[in-house]
Amino acid sequence: MMESEVPLCNSCGEQVGVGANGDVFVACHHCNFSICKACVDYEINEGRKACLRCAAPYDDNSVVDDVELKVSDSRTTMAAQLNNSQDVGIHARHVSNVSTVDSELNDESGNPIWKNRVESWKDKKNKKKKPPTKAEIKAKKEDQIPPEQQMEGKQPAEAAQALSCVIPIPSSKLTPYRCVIIMRLVILSLFFHYRITHPVDSAFGLWLTSVICEIWFAVSWVLDQFPKWSPVERITFTDELSARYEREGEPSELAAVDFFVSTVDPLKEPPLITGNTVLSILAVDYPVDKVSCYVSDDGAAMLTFESLVETADFARKWVPFCKKFAIEPRAPEFYFAQKIDYLKDKVQPSFVKERRAMKRDYEEFKVRVNALVAKAQKTPEEGWTMEDGTAWPGNNSRDHPGMIQVFLGSTGALDLEGNELPRLVYVSREKRPGYQHHKKAGAENALVRVSAVLTNAPYILNLDCDHYVNNSKAVREAMCFLMDPQVGPNLCYVQFPQRFDGIDRSDRYANRNTVFFDVNMKGLDGIQGPVYVGTGCVFNRQALYGYGPPSLPSLPKASSSSCSWCGCFSCCCPSKKPSKDPSELHRDAKRDELDAAIFNLREIDNYDEYERSMLISQKSFEKTFGLSSVFIESTLMENGGVSESVNPAALINEAIHVISCGYEEKTAWGKEIGWIYGSVTEDILTGFKMHCRGWRSVYCMPIRPAFKGSAPINLSDRLHQVLRWALGSVEIFLSRHCPLWYGFAGGRLKWLQRLAYTNTIVYPFTSLPLVAYCVIPAICLLTGKFIIPTLSNLASMLFLGLFISIIVTSVLELRWSGVSIEEWWRNEQFWVIGGVSAHLFAVFQGFLKMLAGVDTNFTVTAKAADDAEFGELYIIKWTTVLIPPTTLIIVNMVGVVAGFSDALNKGYEAWGPLFGKVFFAFWVILHLYPFLKGLMGRQNRTPTIVVLWSVLLASVFSLIWVKINPFVSKVDSSTVAQSCISIDC
């Protein structure tokens, strides 16, 4: 990440300044620990005369140096800003009353939002700075620290301990792993040298195709392997979090969290599952006044609304029950389905009675919800009507107004024990014909704006409707990172792994994605952080708004010069003479598109009045966030919060305004802020943009999984899921956000992180060489040719070394990650299955969609489901995606039979080359074996297996008869000629 000219103080966060000699102030010359003069004086006055990092005594000469201190006003809350407009700070994200009505530019400040701010700059410029006193320094330091962190000095020493800890992988496991990676890279180089310098003239086309495929596989391996160079693990200390922010007898100072739950079609996403997700959120182990749950109904279905009414009513019973007995998980469907002794560790005598009563209540709740679902199967001709007789506004899902309903969290919404409940809000954004709504990404952005107006929590946790909270302390786990003063300020999000219920033990189709979540994501956590995977993620709201992290270098002034090859300012090139050309200033301010959507004004004091006016006018808030003064005001609050004096009805009206279908027009929504548009995998794109801005993310893996998905996936649905992911990657590859060329100017994305993102968008293209490589063994067996010449001793050693290095790399990877061999093998199998089917279709569909504008859909036809356990996993759904792998299996089986038949005819000398060919054919068949089992359906369907194998074997022997005809002995042509001559005609 690009560093600024003057580093920031590690104590107060301000620039350390420069000394009397004009150089950057350095207090400790042993370790160069960044700390400003004011903090050094404070430490010395308190009796601490040693460096905070290395404990070396401070140099007397450096201590007496003068340093220019910057003034930073205290952070305020929205309520303070609304009630005290004359008290204006100078922080970029904290301004007083904002008006979107009178948003014309003026000559003095560039925008009325900044009028008072510019006045404060003028006053500051005209004032002569005086050396601060000890009391002033201490007051400034307290003002610079957020309120939730100021209490550290008032707590016992144990409460100020770190909230999380990084646990590097032991060197005994990691060093051999790295050595084998390097060794494998060397062997690959020697292998390709041999392959290229030893062509097979008799099968030149096959040889050339195989070499091209192998080179691509090697590149894919590099992209996948090297981002796992420095994996780490993390542990959290939730007890320390409570000790620091939840002191007995005082209100909790934990940060508020807004939960987002998104759903579209209640007939495909059962309301009962969505209800369980909502109930698990409402019962989470976190202060109720800090939790709000927003449910996005993007289909405007009355069924979803009515099911939420039932859910809110049942929550009044369920939430106090969960918290009274500390049950896990807190989704009733999955809690009551557990096959465990629920009496274990429950000492309350009333538990058994209350549990049975709660189970009866839940069964009644299920009956009511299922009755709503049954009623919704047939839509009335006149449309749905509400209880008061008025028509449901969302009868037309593509043309309806915005709808918001607050169920819980308001006056009177208490549980059965009289305690307050978390807020539950139903949201359905406005939709009109002719507007682009951007599917899930657009729905999430609508929730961002609604939540900012109503609750404005500083953190956002988004979940899919089928992912429930499995660990009630999951939010606390995330807060151990986000609220840590050392780690939290630069974090854009905390990602949790995805775990799933309803999958059989063998995990035939690699639904758990264990290798990705337990290997790849740990590796990325050691670089710049894991990628965003779409659910189970806690966001810093400021990162979603496009702001840069606190450590983001200041935007270069017009007087700075940019490096011609790296685009950095003042990092590798000397500064030039200041320039006042407005066009040049505009170019410099706009050249780096990776800068935050809102200009980072932390270093604004370095600019003169003219430059500030130009920069501010270029970064108009209305053009970025839209025309809502209340929402813009909320974006400037790092610590969140809304004014208690604001009329709730007025806030609801404003919330309706920010979810109107035309609100995002001519703004930066979906381009630079919020969920990013342009791909069906908006999650990858959104996380990528944040990392490009300089943020980092963290991977949190608590012992008890934080969230779990509840829907099992059969073969066809799994392939279509993978098809959608791959299609999104192809869309990103063909867009301006492709990691191959986007984001180089800022230098904030680490190169290993770039390799990882590159791998996420190019992996579908591996399907092309993979299909070719799976066909080559069958062609070799049918034609009698081979892609490898006769091996010498050296070549044999290279091939053997390559296979051994592949095996050892995998074994060592499993050793440090804890993934089992079975899970690794399932992942390898599905890599081939998905590669030759879903990824292949995604490549063609992506090019047709992005280049030709043709949107191709592959339909799925389902048969009846099995009622047995895991029955849905074995449903046969015929779709075009199944054709390529089926063809490859048949072709390779035909090739194996043909190869053995040919070897039997030719004699023992043909068996040697046969083994090499058969080895590759069996490699293909073994990897596609789970697909073959999925094609068969349930294992007890013997007739299906018999019929399929009968047709397959009949086809094989028919082809062998035509190709080889082994029952007729071959006669040499010379012998026939001699016999003809000897005949007496």
Side-chain angles (χ1 to χ4, degrees):
M1 187 162 55
M2 184 175 63
E3 297 181 357
S4 58
E5 292 180 326
V6 181
L8 300 178
C9 174
N10 286 293
S11 179
C12 66
E14 295 295 329
Q15 285 191 348
V16 299
V18 294
N21 56 0
D23 296 332
V24 176
F25 174 74
V26 179
C28 178
H29 294 280
H30 293 273
C31 65
N32 293 327
F33 183 62
S34 298
I35 187 170
C36 66
K37 174 67 165 53
C39 294
V40 172
D41 292 340
Y42 178 75
E43 293 292 326
I44 292 176
N45 292 332
E46 292 293 322
R48 297 184 288 269
K49 300 183 179 181
C51 176
L52 298 176
R53 174 186 288 176
C54 65
Y58 288 125
D59 186 2
D60 294 336
N61 294 329
S62 64
V63 171
V64 299
D65 285 341
D66 292 330
V67 60
E68 183 179 359
L69 297 177
K70 296 177 59 183
V71 180
S72 176
D73 207 349
S74 61
R75 300 177 180 179
T76 58
T77 63
M78 177 179 284
Q81 292 176 2
L82 292 173
N83 298 329
N84 190 13
S85 60
Q86 67 270 17
D87 186 12
V88 182
I90 64 170
H91 194 280
R93 303 173 188 173
H94 296 72
V95 298
S96 59
N97 292 333
V98 179
S99 172
T100 58
V101 178
D102 302 322
S103 60
E104 298 141 358
L105 302 179
N106 55 63
D107 296 334
E108 186 174 16
S109 62
N111 194 316
I113 297 176
W114 304 95
K115 182 177 180 181
N116 293 333
R117 188 182 305 281
V118 175
E119 292 295 334
S120 68
W121 287 330
K122 290 182 178 179
D123 295 339
K124 179 182 174 183
K125 185 176 181 180
N126 295 330
K127 280 186 179 180
K128 182 178 179 181
K129 296 181 180 180
K130 298 180 180 180
T133 63
K134 175 181 175 181
E136 291 174 345
I137 294 172
K138 186 174 182 180
K140 290 173 185 174
K141 290 180 66 177
E142 290 179 354
D143 287 343
Q144 292 162 357
I145 301 175
E148 67 269 13
Q149 297 175 20
Q150 291 183 13
M151 41 89 65
E152 291 181 23
K154 305 176 184 178
Q155 293 194 65
E158 60 271 13
Q161 296 180 6
L163 301 180
S164 62
C165 179
V166 177
I167 305 179
I169 303 298
S171 56
S172 59
K173 297 180 180 179
L174 199 56
T175 301
Y177 176 66
R178 291 173 173 174
C179 291
V180 172
I181 292 176
I182 298 299
M183 187 184 304
R184 181 174 172 182
L185 197 61
V186 173
I187 294 174
L188 271 175
S189 302
L190 297 175
F191 170 78
F192 283 118
H193 178 268
Y194 170 80
R195 291 284 282 137
I196 294 173
T197 56
H198 291 77
V200 181
D201 296 329
S202 60
F204 186 80
L206 291 175
W207 168 83
L208 182 61
T209 303
S210 65
V211 170
I212 294 174
C213 295
E214 290 162 2
I215 292 175
W216 179 264
F217 293 151
V219 173
S220 299
W221 172 77
V222 170
L223 292 175
D224 180 69
Q225 191 68 61
F226 278 89
K228 296 181 282 190
W229 185 260
S230 301
V232 297
E233 294 180 345
R234 299 177 186 270
I235 58 174
T236 57
F237 308 112
T238 54
D239 293 338
E240 297 296 336
L241 181 75
S242 298
R244 183 176 299 188
Y245 296 108
E246 291 185 299
R247 290 178 294 175
E248 187 176 356
E250 297 183 10
S252 172
E253 296 184 1
L254 291 172
V257 180
D258 288 337
F259 285 77
F260 291 175
V261 179
S262 56
T263 182
V264 180
D265 187 351
L267 299 180
K268 295 181 179 179
E269 301 163 336
L272 187 61
I273 297 299
T274 304
N276 272 269
T277 300
V278 171
L279 289 169
S280 68
I281 293 172
L282 298 178
V284 73
D285 182 10
Y286 208 69
V288 292
D289 59 324
K290 307 287 185 178
V291 176
S292 300
C293 178
Y294 293 83
V295 180
S296 171
D297 177 18
D298 219 31
M302 189 173 178
L303 173 58
T304 302
F305 181 85
E306 290 182 330
S307 65
L308 274 185
V309 174
E310 295 291 345
T311 302
D313 183 64
F314 180 69
R316 293 182 171 90
K317 305 174 184 178
W318 176 251
V319 172
F321 172 76
C322 292
K323 295 187 175 182
K324 180 178 180 180
F325 299 107
I327 65 169
E328 295 283 2
R330 299 189 177 181
E333 181 71 23
F334 304 96
Y335 169 69
F336 291 121
Q338 292 181 115
K339 298 178 180 179
I340 59 173
D341 182 9
Y342 62 86
L343 298 177
K344 186 178 181 181
D345 299 329
K346 302 297 181 183
V347 296
Q348 296 90 337
S350 61
F351 172 68
V352 176
K353 180 179 179 180
E354 291 192 33
R355 184 184 186 277
R356 290 173 179 170
M358 184 57 59
K359 190 172 183 179
R360 286 194 299 269
D361 290 338
Y362 177 65
E363 293 297 329
E364 294 175 359
F365 165 73
K366 287 175 64 176
V367 169
R368 293 193 298 270
V369 172
N370 290 331
L372 293 174
V373 174
K375 179 182 175 182
Q377 297 298 319
K378 186 177 180 180
T379 305
E381 295 182 0
E382 65 279 5
W384 298 106
T385 57
M386 295 184 288
E387 291 184 357
D388 58 358
T390 59
W392 171 249
N395 277 322
N396 187 344
S397 61
R398 298 182 179 180
D399 187 4
H400 64 84
M403 295 178 283
I404 296 177
Q405 175 66 47
V406 180
F407 290 108
L408 301 175
S410 56
T411 304
L414 305 177
D415 62 25
L416 294 182
E417 297 181 359
N419 299 319
E420 185 182 356
L421 286 169
R423 181 172 301 197
L424 174 61
V425 184
Y426 168 87
V427 179
S428 181
R429 57 180 173 145
E430 181 187 18
K431 285 189 176 182
R432 301 296 182 190
Y435 288 90
Q436 179 61 261
H437 299 103
H438 302 289
K439 299 181 180 179
K440 180 182 176 180
E444 295 286 353
N445 284 338
L447 288 182
V448 171
R449 298 191 293 271
V450 168
S451 62
V453 172
L454 297 181
T455 52
N456 195 34
Y459 302 109
I460 294 171
L461 197 161
N462 83 297
L463 291 173
D464 289 341
C465 62
D466 60 347
H467 276 70
Y468 63 91
V469 181
N470 183 65
N471 183 349
S472 62
K473 296 184 181 295
V475 182
R476 295 178 180 271
E477 298 276 352
M479 290 301 115
C480 286
F481 299 105
L482 293 168
M483 297 189 69
D484 191 319
Q486 301 299 323
V487 180
N490 291 321
L491 288 185
C492 55
Y493 58 81
V494 175
Q495 179 66 62
F496 290 88
Q498 292 184 19
R499 306 301 187 198
F500 299 94
D501 291 321
I503 300 175
D504 61 343
R505 189 171 182 179
S506 64
D507 193 13
R508 182 185 297 175
Y509 314 129
N511 284 307
R512 293 190 177 94
N513 282 329
T514 310
V515 173
F516 173 76
F517 286 112
D518 290 11
V519 180
N520 297 56
M521 297 287 269
K522 285 183 181 179
L524 291 177
D525 198 14
I527 309 173
Q528 200 170 342
V531 298
Y532 169 44
V533 296
T535 184
C537 185
V538 186
F539 284 98
N540 181 342
R541 187 184 284 268
Q542 296 293 315
L544 282 172
Y545 288 156
Y547 290 112
S551 60
L552 179 71
S554 59
L555 192 71
K557 294 172 60 177
S559 60
S560 301
S561 60
S562 61
C563 176
S564 59
W565 66 273
C566 73
C568 299
F569 285 82
S570 304
C571 63
C572 57
C573 301
S575 60
K576 295 181 180 179
K577 186 177 180 179
S579 173
K580 294 295 183 179
D581 183 8
S583 62
E584 181 181 348
L585 179 62
H586 180 79
R587 285 197 307 270
D588 288 341
K590 291 289 188 179
R591 73 175 303 278
D592 187 3
E593 63 180 359
L594 295 177
D595 283 316
I598 300 306
F599 188 66
N600 190 341
L601 300 176
R602 189 171 275 102
E603 305 296 336
I604 195 74
D605 293 330
N606 294 333
Y607 294 84
D608 61 27
E609 181 181 348
Y610 176 78
E611 291 171 333
R612 285 194 295 266
S613 178
M614 288 293 297
L615 291 171
I616 292 169
S617 64
Q618 291 162 10
K619 296 291 184 178
S620 172
F621 270 40
E622 291 86 354
K623 293 179 181 179
T624 302
F625 290 120
L627 298 175
S628 172
S629 59
V630 176
F631 176 73
I632 291 176
E633 185 75 12
S634 70
T635 65
L636 305 172
M637 303 302 304
E638 279 186 292
N639 299 322
V642 295
S643 174
E644 296 180 358
S645 61
V646 178
N647 184 3
L651 288 181
I652 292 293
N653 291 333
E654 192 67 23
I656 292 290
H657 168 60
V658 298
I659 60 172
S660 59
C661 56
Y663 183 85
E664 295 183 356
E665 286 193 343
K666 298 181 181 180
T667 67
W669 284 101
K671 302 171 185 175
E672 297 296 332
I673 62 176
W675 270 257
I676 306 301
Y677 305 148
S679 171
V680 295
T681 53
E682 71 287 332
D683 45 5
I684 297 293
L685 202 53
T686 302
F688 174 63
K689 292 278 285 189
M690 292 181 182
H691 284 137
C692 284
R693 292 191 182 107
W695 293 95
R696 70 154 293 126
S697 54
V698 159
Y699 196 48
C700 183
M701 297 182 64
I703 297 176
R704 180 180 179 86
F707 311 101
K708 276 191 174 183
S710 57
I713 304 175
N714 56 63
L715 176 59
S716 299
D717 289 342
R718 172 74 165 133
L719 289 177
H720 276 266
Q721 180 191 57
V722 174
L723 171 62
R724 185 177 62 84
W725 294 343
L727 176 60
S729 296
V730 175
E731 290 174 341
I732 297 174
F733 176 80
L734 298 175
S735 71
R736 72 183 186 94
H737 291 120
C738 178
L740 291 173
W741 51 74
Y742 181 85
F744 281 98
R748 300 166 193 156
L749 190 67
K750 296 184 178 180
W751 70 274
L752 284 179
Q753 192 82 8
R754 186 176 296 280
L755 283 184
Y757 273 112
T758 302
N759 186 48
T760 62
I761 58 102
V762 301
Y763 78 88
F765 297 97
T766 306
S767 60
L768 300 175
L770 184 60
V771 170
Y773 214 73
C774 290
V775 173
I776 286 176
I779 297 176
C780 291
L781 287 167
L782 291 173
T783 61
K785 299 178 181 179
F786 200 33
I787 58 176
I788 301 175
T790 304
L791 297 179
S792 62
N793 292 334
L794 177 61
S796 300
M797 293 296 294
L798 281 176
F799 276 88
L800 184 61
L802 180 61
F803 284 117
I804 292 176
S805 65
I806 293 174
I807 295 173
V808 174
T809 303
S810 302
V811 170
L812 293 177
E813 198 169 86
L814 300 182
R815 185 167 172 253
W816 64 254
S817 66
V819 176
S820 67
I821 295 178
E822 182 183 9
E823 291 171 328
W824 172 84
W825 175 238
R826 291 301 187 198
N827 181 78
E828 291 297 308
Q829 288 179 314
F830 196 78
W831 174 74
V832 176
I833 296 171
V836 300
S837 57
H839 297 172
L840 182 66
F841 277 78
V843 171
F844 289 104
Q845 186 178 357
F847 275 99
L848 288 173
K849 181 178 180 180
M850 302 299 292
L851 301 181
V854 179
D855 195 359
T856 306
N857 293 318
F858 303 102
T859 58
V860 178
T861 303
K863 290 189 177 180
D866 235 327
D867 293 333
E869 187 178 11
F870 310 123
E872 191 176 343
L873 282 167
Y874 303 100
I875 300 175
I876 303 174
K877 295 184 179 181
W878 295 105
T879 172
T880 50
V881 180
L882 304 178
I883 295 176
T886 306
T887 304
L888 287 175
I889 290 178
I890 295 175
V891 169
N892 278 275
M893 287 184 171
V894 169
V896 170
V897 177
F900 276 103
S901 301
D902 192 44
L904 287 172
N905 281 323
K906 290 184 178 179
Y908 70 91
E909 68 276 0
W911 288 95
L914 176 65
F915 285 130
K917 303 173 188 178
V918 171
F919 172 79
F920 288 106
F922 271 112
W923 180 90
V924 176
I925 295 172
L926 285 175
H927 279 79
L928 294 177
Y929 178 69
F931 172 82
L932 184 62
K933 289 188 67 177
L935 208 62
M936 304 291 183
R938 293 292 289 175
Q939 296 179 0
N940 58 0
R941 293 182 179 174
T942 307
T944 304
I945 297 176
V946 171
V947 171
L948 185 60
W949 276 100
S950 299
V951 173
L952 178 62
L953 292 177
S955 303
V956 168
F957 282 110
S958 299
L959 290 172
I960 293 174
W961 180 273
V962 175
K963 170 70 173 60
I964 304 175
N965 197 9
F967 302 101
V968 178
S969 59
K970 293 184 179 180
V971 182
D972 190 19
S973 59
S974 60
T975 305
V976 174
Q978 288 181 354
S979 62
C980 289
I981 294 173
S982 61
I983 295 177
D984 187 3
C985 296

